[in-house]
Amino acid sequence: MADTSASDAVRKRQRLRFRDLVLRSPAFVPIGQRLVADFPRFSDKPWRRLPVVPARPALRIEGAVAHPADVPFADFDALGRVERTADLNCVTTWCVRGLRWGGVSFRSFYDDIVVPRCQPSSDVGWLRIVGHDARVACVALEDALGDDVLLADSLDGNPLNAVHGAPLRFVSPAQYAYKSVKHVATIELCVDQPSSTAGRKEHPRARIALEERHSRYPAWLVRWPYRLVAPLTALIAERSARPRR
């Protein structure tokens, strides 16, 4: 994995400006999405500070397994690195195009580390992914095993920075970004669909192609409320990530 001691090597840009968050609507983004000029920090709790990550982080695997385990990041090296270029689509309707993520394939991680080392139950169908910032998302195992899903530790050729999820981010490009958990600490394997911090808002699948934005309300109903609050939410989240003086 990438050297997390360099995790503050950020995507090169100036401080985020409000006009960077003005939404544009070209024809080549998914329905309901709008482009932004930069990649902001975003959170459903934008006032939350960046988390404290252990000096020697490991990925905890637990739940419906015979043998829970803490997987050191060094063990990922045997899987081989991959890169995927993909758009990131936030459920609040903004989109960043062409992000280049680097890391390991989640399918390889699951098949080559989780299965032999932890021995999951044969009826596992869900993952409960928890970040060091206490953010939780529930992901169907079927979606997590997609060819484009990564455990990413780099972005655009640089080590992943704290703003975008260091030391490790679960990246699932086919789903809205609330499934792409930052600062991944624990993956709990579950037989039944578990709960998450998003509660009843979180769609079980959140597939962008089907515009599965919300578990209860139709996509067209939530687009504009989300779109109106997105710029302010991003600015608060960016401010919360600045070092305290």
Side-chain angles (χ1 to χ4, degrees):
M1 302 297 286
D3 180 8
T4 56
S5 66
S7 63
D8 287 332
V10 300
R11 279 171 65 88
K12 302 299 184 182
R13 62 171 169 84
Q14 301 297 318
R15 179 171 291 180
L16 193 77
R17 300 160 297 183
F18 186 83
R19 67 174 176 268
D20 294 330
L21 297 167
V22 174
L23 302 175
R24 302 165 178 84
S25 180
F28 47 75
V29 297
I31 186 170
Q33 296 300 101
R34 301 290 186 270
L35 285 181
V36 293
D38 213 331
F39 184 11
R41 179 182 185 234
F42 205 85
S43 173
D44 58 344
K45 293 181 173 60
W47 55 85
R48 180 179 285 160
R49 308 295 298 185
L50 293 174
V52 176
V53 176
R56 296 181 179 274
L59 181 51
R60 177 71 176 171
I61 306 298
E62 60 185 28
V65 297
H67 306 289
D70 293 303
V71 181
F73 287 1
D75 291 5
F76 293 9
D77 293 341
L79 301 177
R81 294 190 62 81
V82 296
E83 285 195 347
R84 299 281 187 271
T85 299
D87 300 347
L88 183 140
N89 286 277
C90 181
V91 72
T92 61
T93 76
W94 59 266
C95 171
V96 181
R97 299 211 74 209
L99 299 175
R100 181 162 53 93
W101 301 99
V104 298
S105 160
F106 185 83
R107 177 186 285 274
S108 294
F109 171 74
Y110 191 84
D111 289 346
D112 297 339
I113 291 182
V114 175
V115 171
R117 191 174 304 186
C118 302
Q119 297 179 24
S121 170
S122 61
D123 52 356
V124 165
W126 293 87
L127 306 176
R128 186 174 185 268
I129 305 175
V130 184
H132 285 288
D133 59 355
R135 180 72 173 85
V136 178
C138 301
V139 179
L141 181 61
E142 175 186 353
D143 294 327
L145 296 179
D147 291 339
D148 56 352
V149 179
L150 295 182
L151 290 172
D153 66 349
S154 74
L155 175 60
D156 290 344
N158 295 313
L160 193 63
N161 70 337
V163 167
H164 292 309
L168 193 69
R169 181 168 184 163
F170 179 83
V171 176
S172 180
Q175 298 176 286
Y176 289 114
Y178 62 80
K179 300 290 189 181
S180 293
V181 177
K182 293 177 278 192
H183 322 290
V184 176
T186 301
I187 298 179
E188 178 185 354
L189 278 59
C190 305
V191 173
D192 300 315
Q193 182 182 342
S195 61
S196 78
T197 51
R200 289 182 294 175
K201 293 188 300 182
E202 182 177 1
H203 192 283
R205 307 293 296 278
R207 291 168 293 188
I208 297 164
L210 300 179
E211 206 179 357
E212 295 170 333
R213 295 187 189 273
H214 199 284
S215 64
R216 292 180 294 164
Y217 301 126
W220 62 265
L221 185 61
V222 297
R223 281 184 212 152
W224 275 106
Y226 280 164
R227 192 168 295 161
L228 290 172
V229 302
L232 179 60
T233 302
L235 289 172
I236 294 172
E238 286 266 335
R239 182 178 293 274
S240 298
R242 295 176 192 168
R244 293 180 178 176
R245 296 180 179 178

